[in-house]
Amino acid sequence: MKKIRVMFCVIIFMTGLGIASYPFISNMVAQRHASQVVKDYETNVEEMDEEKIDAMKEAAKKYNEQLSNVVSVDDENENNEQGESYADLLNIGESLGYITIPKINVNLPIYNGTSQDVLSKGVGHMEQSSYPLGGESTHCVLTGHRGLPSAVLFTDLDKLEIGDEFYLHVLDEILAYKVDQIKVVEPNESGDLEIIDGKDYCTLVTCTPYAINSHRLLVRGERTEYKGEQDKQTKNQMQTGALTKRIVDVWPWLLGAFLVAVLIESGIFFSILKRKKQDMEE
């Protein structure tokens, strides 16, 4: 009987350990995939000649100039009349670039579109928003999930504050944006995503409040001078930082699994003692 109790306790603990470890392990897998996509993108860009890069930039610039005449990012009819699909502009592989947000240890690929498949593995570029190459009268919109058990993604986006910076790596360009506005809006409110004449904006979008997702958190950055050393230094520390954070997040679950196992074992132990006592009294 004692061996059965021990085995039962071990099974419960291991089950709890497996459940608690899932976010940690799955995030490691997701982060490894994201890192590989980023590495492949950088390799593809390095292998491109300057003429091809310039041609792609010119195509993206023309697309953005067309968009600057659009009143709203939700006006699909006007966008459909513009001809060239934004997905055909920069065919460099799986992603169109990547984003780094040093403060919250984000280093993620940017993909075309905002489908569920895209948002489950990285950051999506919202169609009908400016292609992420900057310039006057542009407004790039990037979206990401938060709270997924399998990946961190934009989970910590709400920790950004006015003055924090994030970086877009597209082709041979690195664009720096400084956060100048943080707002919470209804899902159907898109006024803050519109292009502003003469401005160079990039807005990061995710759901809020955490796990409720009834509204949208908009973190807007305005183009600023790129100071490469900060991004380079923090980028090299991101994977370790994200891993450490995930371990910290998992420990409460591990402790909980251990306590549950102890409580169940204690319950079984005292139940057996009580039954033996009753048998002796009879």
mmCIF file of all heavy atoms in Angstrom, residues 194-232:
data_model
loop_
_atom_site.group_PDB
_atom_site.id
_atom_site.type_symbol
_atom_site.label_atom_id
_atom_site.label_comp_id
_atom_site.label_asym_id
_atom_site.label_seq_id
_atom_site.Cartn_x
_atom_site.Cartn_y
_atom_site.Cartn_z
ATOM 1 N N GLU A 194 -4.169 55.753 -38.675
ATOM 2 C CA GLU A 194 -4.141 56.427 -39.962
ATOM 3 C C GLU A 194 -2.804 57.128 -40.199
ATOM 4 O O GLU A 194 -2.069 57.452 -39.266
ATOM 5 C CB GLU A 194 -5.282 57.444 -40.045
ATOM 6 C CG GLU A 194 -6.662 56.794 -40.029
ATOM 7 C CD GLU A 194 -7.780 57.821 -40.056
ATOM 8 O OE1 GLU A 194 -7.475 59.032 -40.114
ATOM 9 O OE2 GLU A 194 -8.955 57.410 -40.020
ATOM 10 N N ILE A 195 -2.520 57.369 -41.468
ATOM 11 C CA ILE A 195 -1.297 58.067 -41.860
ATOM 12 C C ILE A 195 -1.462 59.555 -41.581
ATOM 13 O O ILE A 195 -2.488 60.152 -41.911
ATOM 14 C CB ILE A 195 -1.009 57.840 -43.358
ATOM 15 C CG1 ILE A 195 -0.683 56.348 -43.587
ATOM 16 C CG2 ILE A 195 0.137 58.721 -43.840
ATOM 17 C CD1 ILE A 195 -0.588 55.970 -45.049
ATOM 18 N N ILE A 196 -0.451 60.149 -40.964
ATOM 19 C CA ILE A 196 -0.443 61.582 -40.675
ATOM 20 C C ILE A 196 0.565 62.253 -41.600
ATOM 21 O O ILE A 196 1.729 61.837 -41.670
ATOM 22 C CB ILE A 196 -0.066 61.860 -39.203
ATOM 23 C CG1 ILE A 196 -0.986 61.081 -38.257
ATOM 24 C CG2 ILE A 196 -0.126 63.358 -38.910
ATOM 25 C CD1 ILE A 196 -2.448 61.418 -38.362
ATOM 26 N N ASP A 197 0.114 63.261 -42.284
ATOM 27 C CA ASP A 197 0.955 63.935 -43.273
ATOM 28 C C ASP A 197 2.274 64.407 -42.652
ATOM 29 O O ASP A 197 2.287 65.113 -41.642
ATOM 30 C CB ASP A 197 0.193 65.128 -43.868
ATOM 31 C CG ASP A 197 0.949 65.763 -45.024
ATOM 32 O OD1 ASP A 197 1.543 65.015 -45.827
ATOM 33 O OD2 ASP A 197 0.972 67.008 -45.103
ATOM 34 N N GLY A 198 3.367 63.984 -43.262
ATOM 35 C CA GLY A 198 4.689 64.415 -42.822
ATOM 36 C C GLY A 198 5.281 63.598 -41.685
ATOM 37 O O GLY A 198 6.463 63.767 -41.353
ATOM 38 N N LYS A 199 4.504 62.701 -41.075
ATOM 39 C CA LYS A 199 4.986 61.919 -39.932
ATOM 40 C C LYS A 199 5.443 60.524 -40.361
ATOM 41 O O LYS A 199 4.972 59.967 -41.358
ATOM 42 C CB LYS A 199 3.885 61.784 -38.873
ATOM 43 C CG LYS A 199 3.511 63.097 -38.201
ATOM 44 C CD LYS A 199 4.649 63.610 -37.332
ATOM 45 C CE LYS A 199 4.241 64.830 -36.522
ATOM 46 N NZ LYS A 199 5.346 65.312 -35.650
ATOM 47 N N ASP A 200 6.356 59.977 -39.588
ATOM 48 C CA ASP A 200 6.858 58.622 -39.808
ATOM 49 C C ASP A 200 6.588 57.834 -38.528
ATOM 50 O O ASP A 200 7.327 57.933 -37.544
ATOM 51 C CB ASP A 200 8.361 58.669 -40.115
ATOM 52 C CG ASP A 200 8.928 57.289 -40.475
ATOM 53 O OD1 ASP A 200 8.291 56.284 -40.144
ATOM 54 O OD2 ASP A 200 10.010 57.247 -41.079
ATOM 55 N N TYR A 201 5.487 57.057 -38.541
ATOM 56 C CA TYR A 201 5.046 56.340 -37.351
ATOM 57 C C TYR A 201 5.095 54.826 -37.570
ATOM 58 O O TYR A 201 4.978 54.330 -38.692
ATOM 59 C CB TYR A 201 3.609 56.699 -36.987
ATOM 60 C CG TYR A 201 3.398 58.074 -36.400
ATOM 61 C CD1 TYR A 201 2.315 58.860 -36.808
ATOM 62 C CD2 TYR A 201 4.258 58.587 -35.436
ATOM 63 C CE1 TYR A 201 2.101 60.122 -36.262
ATOM 64 C CE2 TYR A 201 4.058 59.840 -34.888
ATOM 65 C CZ TYR A 201 2.975 60.606 -35.302
ATOM 66 O OH TYR A 201 2.767 61.848 -34.764
ATOM 67 N N CYS A 202 5.210 54.105 -36.449
ATOM 68 C CA CYS A 202 4.998 52.662 -36.425
ATOM 69 C C CYS A 202 4.221 52.358 -35.148
ATOM 70 O O CYS A 202 4.657 52.750 -34.058
ATOM 71 C CB CYS A 202 6.315 51.889 -36.443
ATOM 72 S SG CYS A 202 6.088 50.091 -36.371
ATOM 73 N N THR A 203 3.086 51.695 -35.280
ATOM 74 C CA THR A 203 2.267 51.368 -34.117
ATOM 75 C C THR A 203 2.239 49.867 -33.898
ATOM 76 O O THR A 203 1.991 49.089 -34.834
ATOM 77 C CB THR A 203 0.828 51.889 -34.287
ATOM 78 O OG1 THR A 203 0.842 53.321 -34.311
ATOM 79 C CG2 THR A 203 -0.051 51.442 -33.125
ATOM 80 N N LEU A 204 2.482 49.457 -32.666
ATOM 81 C CA LEU A 204 2.419 48.054 -32.260
ATOM 82 C C LEU A 204 1.059 47.816 -31.605
ATOM 83 O O LEU A 204 0.654 48.567 -30.717
ATOM 84 C CB LEU A 204 3.548 47.732 -31.275
ATOM 85 C CG LEU A 204 4.955 48.183 -31.700
ATOM 86 C CD1 LEU A 204 5.978 47.790 -30.634
ATOM 87 C CD2 LEU A 204 5.329 47.607 -33.054
ATOM 88 N N VAL A 205 0.371 46.769 -32.034
ATOM 89 C CA VAL A 205 -1.000 46.511 -31.593
ATOM 90 C C VAL A 205 -1.094 45.128 -30.961
ATOM 91 O O VAL A 205 -0.566 44.144 -31.501
ATOM 92 C CB VAL A 205 -1.985 46.600 -32.774
ATOM 93 C CG1 VAL A 205 -3.416 46.360 -32.292
ATOM 94 C CG2 VAL A 205 -1.879 47.946 -33.473
ATOM 95 N N THR A 206 -1.790 45.053 -29.829
ATOM 96 C CA THR A 206 -2.084 43.758 -29.224
ATOM 97 C C THR A 206 -3.387 43.875 -28.444
ATOM 98 O O THR A 206 -3.940 44.958 -28.282
ATOM 99 C CB THR A 206 -0.941 43.297 -28.297
ATOM 100 O OG1 THR A 206 -1.131 41.911 -27.982
ATOM 101 C CG2 THR A 206 -0.903 44.103 -27.001
ATOM 102 N N CYS A 207 -3.878 42.734 -27.949
ATOM 103 C CA CYS A 207 -5.135 42.726 -27.201
ATOM 104 C C CYS A 207 -4.902 43.087 -25.738
ATOM 105 O O CYS A 207 -3.831 42.843 -25.184
ATOM 106 C CB CYS A 207 -5.794 41.350 -27.288
ATOM 107 S SG CYS A 207 -6.302 40.875 -28.942
ATOM 108 N N THR A 208 -5.916 43.642 -25.122
ATOM 109 C CA THR A 208 -5.865 44.023 -23.713
ATOM 110 C C THR A 208 -7.290 44.100 -23.180
ATOM 111 O O THR A 208 -8.220 44.290 -23.965
ATOM 112 C CB THR A 208 -5.123 45.375 -23.546
ATOM 113 O OG1 THR A 208 -4.757 45.556 -22.183
ATOM 114 C CG2 THR A 208 -5.982 46.547 -23.986
ATOM 115 N N PRO A 209 -7.563 43.925 -21.889
ATOM 116 C CA PRO A 209 -6.641 43.513 -20.825
ATOM 117 C C PRO A 209 -6.178 42.062 -21.017
ATOM 118 O O PRO A 209 -6.790 41.306 -21.748
ATOM 119 C CB PRO A 209 -7.469 43.660 -19.552
ATOM 120 C CG PRO A 209 -8.637 44.509 -19.922
ATOM 121 C CD PRO A 209 -8.895 44.217 -21.368
ATOM 122 N N TYR A 210 -5.136 41.731 -20.324
ATOM 123 C CA TYR A 210 -4.548 40.408 -20.431
ATOM 124 C C TYR A 210 -5.581 39.326 -20.130
ATOM 125 O O TYR A 210 -6.269 39.377 -19.115
ATOM 126 C CB TYR A 210 -3.373 40.294 -19.461
ATOM 127 C CG TYR A 210 -2.609 38.997 -19.546
ATOM 128 C CD1 TYR A 210 -1.630 38.820 -20.503
ATOM 129 C CD2 TYR A 210 -2.877 37.945 -18.673
ATOM 130 C CE1 TYR A 210 -0.915 37.635 -20.590
ATOM 131 C CE2 TYR A 210 -2.171 36.757 -18.745
ATOM 132 C CZ TYR A 210 -1.198 36.609 -19.710
ATOM 133 O OH TYR A 210 -0.498 35.433 -19.788
ATOM 134 N N ALA A 211 -5.698 38.361 -21.061
ATOM 135 C CA ALA A 211 -6.590 37.203 -20.941
ATOM 136 C C ALA A 211 -8.065 37.542 -21.125
ATOM 137 O O ALA A 211 -8.900 36.652 -21.179
ATOM 138 C CB ALA A 211 -6.392 36.492 -19.601
ATOM 139 N N ILE A 212 -8.398 38.831 -21.239
ATOM 140 C CA ILE A 212 -9.782 39.241 -21.484
ATOM 141 C C ILE A 212 -9.950 39.656 -22.943
ATOM 142 O O ILE A 212 -10.905 39.281 -23.622
ATOM 143 C CB ILE A 212 -10.203 40.383 -20.540
ATOM 144 C CG1 ILE A 212 -10.142 39.891 -19.091
ATOM 145 C CG2 ILE A 212 -11.604 40.890 -20.877
ATOM 146 C CD1 ILE A 212 -10.444 40.957 -18.067
ATOM 147 N N ASN A 213 -9.007 40.474 -23.413
ATOM 148 C CA ASN A 213 -8.889 40.803 -24.838
ATOM 149 C C ASN A 213 -10.101 41.532 -25.415
ATOM 150 O O ASN A 213 -10.458 41.330 -26.576
ATOM 151 C CB ASN A 213 -8.629 39.528 -25.663
ATOM 152 C CG ASN A 213 -7.407 38.779 -25.199
ATOM 153 O OD1 ASN A 213 -6.480 39.365 -24.631
ATOM 154 N ND2 ASN A 213 -7.391 37.478 -25.405
ATOM 155 N N SER A 214 -10.711 42.364 -24.628
ATOM 156 C CA SER A 214 -11.886 43.099 -25.100
ATOM 157 C C SER A 214 -11.517 44.383 -25.835
ATOM 158 O O SER A 214 -12.323 44.927 -26.580
ATOM 159 C CB SER A 214 -12.798 43.446 -23.913
ATOM 160 O OG SER A 214 -12.092 44.247 -22.968
ATOM 161 N N HIS A 215 -10.293 44.878 -25.638
ATOM 162 C CA HIS A 215 -9.852 46.121 -26.256
ATOM 163 C C HIS A 215 -8.512 45.913 -26.958
ATOM 164 O O HIS A 215 -7.959 44.820 -26.959
ATOM 165 C CB HIS A 215 -9.733 47.236 -25.202
ATOM 166 C CG HIS A 215 -11.046 47.676 -24.659
ATOM 167 N ND1 HIS A 215 -11.828 46.886 -23.849
ATOM 168 C CD2 HIS A 215 -11.736 48.860 -24.791
ATOM 169 C CE1 HIS A 215 -12.939 47.522 -23.514
ATOM 170 N NE2 HIS A 215 -12.902 48.719 -24.080
ATOM 171 N N ARG A 216 -8.004 46.986 -27.531
ATOM 172 C CA ARG A 216 -6.715 46.931 -28.212
ATOM 173 C C ARG A 216 -5.754 47.936 -27.593
ATOM 174 O O ARG A 216 -6.119 49.089 -27.349
ATOM 175 C CB ARG A 216 -6.875 47.234 -29.712
ATOM 176 C CG ARG A 216 -7.777 46.257 -30.439
ATOM 177 C CD ARG A 216 -7.181 44.866 -30.488
ATOM 178 N NE ARG A 216 -8.077 43.928 -31.161
ATOM 179 C CZ ARG A 216 -8.954 43.147 -30.542
ATOM 180 N NH1 ARG A 216 -9.034 43.197 -29.206
ATOM 181 N NH2 ARG A 216 -9.728 42.325 -31.208
ATOM 182 N N LEU A 217 -4.535 47.473 -27.342
ATOM 183 C CA LEU A 217 -3.476 48.341 -26.837
ATOM 184 C C LEU A 217 -2.653 48.816 -28.023
ATOM 185 O O LEU A 217 -2.131 47.998 -28.793
ATOM 186 C CB LEU A 217 -2.597 47.575 -25.849
ATOM 187 C CG LEU A 217 -1.333 48.299 -25.352
ATOM 188 C CD1 LEU A 217 -1.714 49.521 -24.523
ATOM 189 C CD2 LEU A 217 -0.458 47.346 -24.525
ATOM 190 N N LEU A 218 -2.537 50.130 -28.178
ATOM 191 C CA LEU A 218 -1.775 50.717 -29.274
ATOM 192 C C LEU A 218 -0.546 51.424 -28.707
ATOM 193 O O LEU A 218 -0.673 52.362 -27.915
ATOM 194 C CB LEU A 218 -2.620 51.735 -30.050
ATOM 195 C CG LEU A 218 -4.007 51.284 -30.524
ATOM 196 C CD1 LEU A 218 -4.680 52.410 -31.313
ATOM 197 C CD2 LEU A 218 -3.916 50.026 -31.363
ATOM 198 N N VAL A 219 0.622 50.957 -29.099
ATOM 199 C CA VAL A 219 1.878 51.587 -28.671
ATOM 200 C C VAL A 219 2.521 52.183 -29.925
ATOM 201 O O VAL A 219 3.047 51.456 -30.767
ATOM 202 C CB VAL A 219 2.823 50.561 -28.014
ATOM 203 C CG1 VAL A 219 4.134 51.239 -27.613
ATOM 204 C CG2 VAL A 219 2.160 49.925 -26.796
ATOM 205 N N ARG A 220 2.442 53.501 -30.019
ATOM 206 C CA ARG A 220 2.943 54.161 -31.228
ATOM 207 C C ARG A 220 4.344 54.713 -31.023
ATOM 208 O O ARG A 220 4.661 55.278 -29.977
ATOM 209 C CB ARG A 220 2.015 55.313 -31.620
ATOM 210 C CG ARG A 220 2.344 55.922 -32.986
ATOM 211 C CD ARG A 220 1.428 57.083 -33.306
ATOM 212 N NE ARG A 220 1.762 58.262 -32.513
ATOM 213 C CZ ARG A 220 1.066 59.401 -32.533
ATOM 214 N NH1 ARG A 220 -0.010 59.497 -33.296
ATOM 215 N NH2 ARG A 220 1.450 60.423 -31.794
ATOM 216 N N GLY A 221 5.188 54.506 -32.040
ATOM 217 C CA GLY A 221 6.527 55.062 -32.011
ATOM 218 C C GLY A 221 6.730 56.023 -33.166
ATOM 219 O O GLY A 221 6.221 55.807 -34.265
ATOM 220 N N GLU A 222 7.463 57.091 -32.910
ATOM 221 C CA GLU A 222 7.809 58.042 -33.958
ATOM 222 C C GLU A 222 9.271 57.845 -34.326
ATOM 223 O O GLU A 222 10.120 57.631 -33.456
ATOM 224 C CB GLU A 222 7.565 59.484 -33.504
ATOM 225 C CG GLU A 222 7.833 60.507 -34.599
ATOM 226 C CD GLU A 222 7.398 61.913 -34.223
ATOM 227 O OE1 GLU A 222 7.077 62.134 -33.034
ATOM 228 O OE2 GLU A 222 7.390 62.783 -35.109
ATOM 229 N N ARG A 223 9.554 57.919 -35.604
ATOM 230 C CA ARG A 223 10.914 57.667 -36.104
ATOM 231 C C ARG A 223 11.913 58.599 -35.422
ATOM 232 O O ARG A 223 11.688 59.799 -35.264
ATOM 233 C CB ARG A 223 10.941 57.898 -37.619
ATOM 234 C CG ARG A 223 12.274 57.584 -38.293
ATOM 235 C CD ARG A 223 12.475 56.092 -38.491
ATOM 236 N NE ARG A 223 13.708 55.847 -39.242
ATOM 237 C CZ ARG A 223 13.789 55.857 -40.559
ATOM 238 N NH1 ARG A 223 12.722 56.111 -41.298
ATOM 239 N NH2 ARG A 223 14.946 55.600 -41.158
ATOM 240 N N THR A 224 13.023 58.005 -35.028
ATOM 241 C CA THR A 224 14.079 58.758 -34.376
ATOM 242 C C THR A 224 15.431 58.277 -34.909
ATOM 243 O O THR A 224 15.501 57.303 -35.662
ATOM 244 C CB THR A 224 14.013 58.582 -32.845
ATOM 245 O OG1 THR A 224 14.956 59.455 -32.215
ATOM 246 C CG2 THR A 224 14.339 57.147 -32.441
ATOM 247 N N GLU A 225 16.475 58.932 -34.507
ATOM 248 C CA GLU A 225 17.815 58.556 -34.963
ATOM 249 C C GLU A 225 18.207 57.195 -34.392
ATOM 250 O O GLU A 225 18.012 56.921 -33.213
ATOM 251 C CB GLU A 225 18.838 59.612 -34.536
ATOM 252 C CG GLU A 225 20.256 59.304 -34.959
ATOM 253 C CD GLU A 225 21.258 60.309 -34.403
ATOM 254 O OE1 GLU A 225 20.841 61.234 -33.679
ATOM 255 O OE2 GLU A 225 22.457 60.160 -34.693
ATOM 256 N N TYR A 226 18.755 56.361 -35.250
ATOM 257 C CA TYR A 226 19.184 55.044 -34.814
ATOM 258 C C TYR A 226 20.572 55.121 -34.187
ATOM 259 O O TYR A 226 21.530 55.582 -34.796
ATOM 260 C CB TYR A 226 19.205 54.063 -35.986
ATOM 261 C CG TYR A 226 19.800 52.721 -35.634
ATOM 262 C CD1 TYR A 226 19.179 51.895 -34.708
ATOM 263 C CD2 TYR A 226 20.988 52.288 -36.220
ATOM 264 C CE1 TYR A 226 19.721 50.664 -34.372
ATOM 265 C CE2 TYR A 226 21.539 51.056 -35.894
ATOM 266 C CZ TYR A 226 20.905 50.242 -34.968
ATOM 267 O OH TYR A 226 21.446 49.034 -34.631
ATOM 268 N N LYS A 227 20.665 54.639 -32.934
ATOM 269 C CA LYS A 227 21.946 54.586 -32.227
ATOM 270 C C LYS A 227 22.282 53.109 -32.052
ATOM 271 O O LYS A 227 21.904 52.487 -31.077
ATOM 272 C CB LYS A 227 21.846 55.308 -30.888
ATOM 273 C CG LYS A 227 21.463 56.784 -31.048
ATOM 274 C CD LYS A 227 21.244 57.450 -29.708
ATOM 275 C CE LYS A 227 20.798 58.908 -29.890
ATOM 276 N NZ LYS A 227 20.525 59.573 -28.617
ATOM 277 N N GLY A 228 23.016 52.592 -32.996
ATOM 278 C CA GLY A 228 23.185 51.159 -33.158
ATOM 279 C C GLY A 228 23.694 50.380 -31.981
ATOM 280 O O GLY A 228 23.327 49.237 -31.807
ATOM 281 N N GLU A 229 24.523 50.965 -31.148
ATOM 282 C CA GLU A 229 25.150 50.197 -30.079
ATOM 283 C C GLU A 229 24.127 49.647 -29.098
ATOM 284 O O GLU A 229 24.242 48.530 -28.622
ATOM 285 C CB GLU A 229 26.176 51.061 -29.345
ATOM 286 C CG GLU A 229 27.433 51.321 -30.145
ATOM 287 C CD GLU A 229 28.073 50.030 -30.630
ATOM 288 O OE1 GLU A 229 28.235 49.116 -29.809
ATOM 289 O OE2 GLU A 229 28.416 49.938 -31.810
ATOM 290 N N GLN A 230 23.091 50.439 -28.781
ATOM 291 C CA GLN A 230 22.096 49.977 -27.808
ATOM 292 C C GLN A 230 21.358 48.751 -28.330
ATOM 293 O O GLN A 230 21.220 47.746 -27.641
ATOM 294 C CB GLN A 230 21.087 51.083 -27.499
ATOM 295 C CG GLN A 230 20.032 50.646 -26.489
ATOM 296 C CD GLN A 230 18.960 51.692 -26.272
ATOM 297 O OE1 GLN A 230 18.914 52.692 -26.970
ATOM 298 N NE2 GLN A 230 18.093 51.453 -25.313
ATOM 299 N N ASP A 231 20.918 48.807 -29.581
ATOM 300 C CA ASP A 231 20.186 47.693 -30.153
ATOM 301 C C ASP A 231 21.076 46.463 -30.280
ATOM 302 O O ASP A 231 20.672 45.351 -29.996
ATOM 303 C CB ASP A 231 19.640 48.091 -31.519
ATOM 304 C CG ASP A 231 18.777 46.999 -32.134
ATOM 305 O OD1 ASP A 231 18.054 46.337 -31.375
ATOM 306 O OD2 ASP A 231 18.836 46.820 -33.355
ATOM 307 N N LYS A 232 22.304 46.664 -30.704
ATOM 308 C CA LYS A 232 23.233 45.549 -30.890
ATOM 309 C C LYS A 232 23.519 44.853 -29.569
ATOM 310 O O LYS A 232 23.526 43.631 -29.473
ATOM 311 C CB LYS A 232 24.537 46.062 -31.501
ATOM 312 C CG LYS A 232 25.553 44.968 -31.795
ATOM 313 C CD LYS A 232 26.792 45.551 -32.458
ATOM 314 C CE LYS A 232 27.814 44.472 -32.754
ATOM 315 N NZ LYS A 232 29.036 45.020 -33.373
#
